[in-house]
Amino acid sequence: MKRVAVLGCGGFIGSHLVEAFLSRTQMEVLGWDADSRRIDHWLDHPRFSFFSGDLYRDPKLEEKLAGCDAVISLAAICWPSRYAGEGIAVIESNFLQPARLVEMIARHRLWLIHFSTSEVYGKTLASQLGPEAESRLDLNLLREDESPLLLGPVQRARWSYACAKQLLERWIFAYHRERGLKFTMVRPFNFIGPRMDFLPGVEDGEGTPRVLACFLSALLRGEPLPLVDGGQARRTFMHIDDAVNALLNILERPEAAQGRIFNLGHPGNEATIRELARLMREAFAGATEQRSYLDHPEANISAEEFYGEGYDDSDRRLPDIRKARELLNWEPKIALEEALRRIVVEALARHATEV
Ligand code: UDP
C-alpha cells in the first residue's frame, strides 16, 4: 500500500492509526476530520495531508480518494448517550452519508476498510433464553458469519446506531456481490486507550462519553463511579495498540483481508462494568500509590436516569476471533489490568495539575 485515506482521522481510533501509519510505515496518509486536536503534532509531517471540516462537503473528496489504495472509514457518531436522543443524526452519519461514499469507492475500484461495530450483534441469544442459557458458550460467543444480529424494538432507540451500522454492512456486502466492491469490515469490541472520547468536567467536551472515560473523569474529580443498572453488563475491552496492529496486518494482507468481516477484540479481557470499576480503582491506587482510591465510592443509577428514555443495552460482547487470528496472523496481547494501568498513568500525567 502506498497511499491510504483515513476518514475521521481526528477521533480516538483514527488518531492512533495516523500515528502508526506515519511512524511505522512508509505510506502517504490523507486524513479528514472536523477536529484536529488529537493529531495536531502530525499536521506538518511530509507524508500527511490533512483536510479540515466535514468530509462530505469537500468538493474534491472524490478526486483525492481516487488516488488512494485503501480508504479507511471511521467517521460517525458512536456514543451510546446520543443514540436514543439524536436518532436522525445517528442514522445520517452511520448509514445515509457513508452509503453514498460506498458507491463512490466501488466506482473507483478502491479498497474500503470499514469500521463497523460489535454492537451490530445487539443482545446475545443467551439473553433471550433465560438463566440456564447463560453458561452455554455457543449461545454467547459472537461469530462474524454465524451469529444472529438481535436488536430491540424501534422505541428502544438505542438500537438506531446498531441498525444503521448493520444496514451499512449489508449495503457494502451487496456492493461487493453486485458491483465487485473490494471491502474489509471490522467489528471493534470496546477499544480503550489514551485520547478516548473526552473527560466531562476535566477536558473539553459536553455530554456523556463511553464508560472508560466516565470512570476516568469520576476518579479524577473525586466523584462516585456511576454503575448503570448495577453495572451487570459485560464487555471485553481491548487496548488500542492491539487494534492498531490488527489494522497494519490487514493492510499488509489484502488477499486474506478482502471480502471478509473480522471481529477485533480481546476475549481474555472480559469484565462486568462493576468489575471494570474495581480494576480502575486499583489502577488509580497503583499509579498514585494512594490506597484510598481502593475505597472510591460507586453509585448505582438507573439507565433511564443516566441516559434518558429509549436506552437499552447489550448484555454481553464476547468475540470469537479465530478468523482474525488465522487469516491476519494477529493476536491481541495486552491484558486488561495492563491496559488500564497505561491509560491511567497517561491520564494522570496529562491532568496532574487538576487533581
Ligand atoms: N456504563 C456505566 N457507567 C458509565 C457509562 C456506561 O455503567 O458511566 C455502562 C453502560 O450502561 C454499558 C457499559 O457501561 O452497560 C458500556 O457502555 P459504553 O458507553 O462504554 O459503550 P457500549 O459498550 O455500550 O457501546
Side-chain angles (χ1 to χ4, degrees), residues 12-282:
F12 164 51
I13 300 174
S15 68
H16 284 274
L17 291 181
V18 166
E19 182 179 292
F21 294 163
L22 295 175
S23 61
R24 293 166 62 185
T25 77
Q26 287 308 309
M27 291 191 301
E28 203 183 309
V29 181
L30 274 63
W32 281 258
D33 210 297
D35 182 355
S36 67
R37 282 172 298 180
R38 291 181 176 82
I39 46 167
D40 269 343
H41 51 293
W42 293 104
L43 295 181
D44 294 330
H45 194 284
R47 279 188 284 112
F48 187 38
S49 308
F50 176 69
F51 307 105
S52 172
D54 181 349
L55 76 104
Y56 298 107
R57 287 170 190 264
D58 179 347
K60 298 223 165 107
L61 180 69
E62 182 158 358
E63 202 179 300
K64 291 168 190 157
L65 290 184
C68 294
D69 301 297
V71 179
I72 302 179
S73 71
L74 286 150
I77 296 175
C78 59
W79 292 322
S81 57
R82 300 179 63 182
Y83 299 163
E86 295 177 53
I88 296 174
V90 165
I91 295 168
E92 180 98 34
S93 77
N94 283 289
F95 179 70
L96 293 170
Q97 290 177 325
R100 294 275 71 91
L101 202 70
V102 170
E103 187 272 321
M104 181 203 290
I105 291 170
R107 203 160 10 90
H108 287 278
R109 309 238 155 259
L110 310 174
W111 176 17
L112 171 64
I113 302 176
H114 176 63
F115 272 77
S116 185
T117 172
S118 52
E119 190 155 328
V120 292
Y121 292 109
K123 301 178 182 224
T124 59
L125 265 175
S127 73
Q128 308 301 300
L129 299 174
E132 66 285 356
E134 223 170 80
S135 57
R136 281 190 43 195
L137 193 62
D138 57 324
L139 300 176
N140 281 282
L141 200 60
L142 301 172
R143 297 201 169 101
E144 296 94 333
D145 308 322
E146 290 157 45
S147 297
L149 310 175
L150 290 178
L151 310 184
V154 168
Q155 290 76 6
R156 291 278 178 174
R158 188 236 162 91
W159 303 113
S160 56
Y161 169 74
C163 187
K165 284 285 209 197
Q166 189 193 129
L167 188 56
L168 192 69
E169 285 201 12
R170 294 184 191 277
W171 179 263
I172 291 170
F173 196 69
Y175 263 86
H176 166 67
R177 278 259 168 95
E178 297 164 35
R179 310 254 171 103
L181 171 68
K182 287 186 280 184
F183 81 86
T184 301
M185 288 194 257
V186 300
R187 294 180 179 159
F189 282 70
N190 291 75
F191 295 174
I192 54 173
R195 305 200 288 273
M196 189 174 174
D197 298 351
F198 57 92
L199 305 179
V202 182
E203 273 171 11
D204 286 354
E206 276 177 28
T208 305
R210 285 167 290 191
V211 66
L212 187 99
C214 286
F215 284 0
L216 266 180
S217 171
L219 282 153
L220 287 167
R221 299 173 72 187
E223 290 173 0
L225 297 167
L227 295 183
V228 173
D229 288 343
Q232 293 309 307
R234 287 195 259 183
R235 296 289 187 269
T236 49
F237 295 94
M238 183 162 85
H239 194 275
I240 188 71
D241 289 357
D242 278 332
V244 165
N245 286 334
L247 259 289
L248 290 171
N249 288 13
I250 285 175
L251 284 165
E252 276 171 14
R253 291 171 177 74
E255 330 70 50
Q258 283 176 6
R260 296 201 161 93
I261 303 175
F262 294 100
N263 285 341
L264 294 183
H266 192 324
N269 282 350
E270 188 172 39
T272 63
I273 301 306
R274 180 179 286 275
E275 283 160 359
L276 178 73
R278 175 178 57 78
L279 293 170
M280 287 289 284
R281 286 196 202 93
E282 288 173 8

Side-chain angles (χ1 to χ4, degrees), residues 336-353:
L336 185 52
E337 289 77 359
E338 172 59 13
L340 296 179
R341 189 191 67 76
R342 291 188 199 177
I343 293 165
V344 167
V345 165
E346 192 270 349
L348 283 168
R350 208 148 35 100
H351 297 289
T353 49

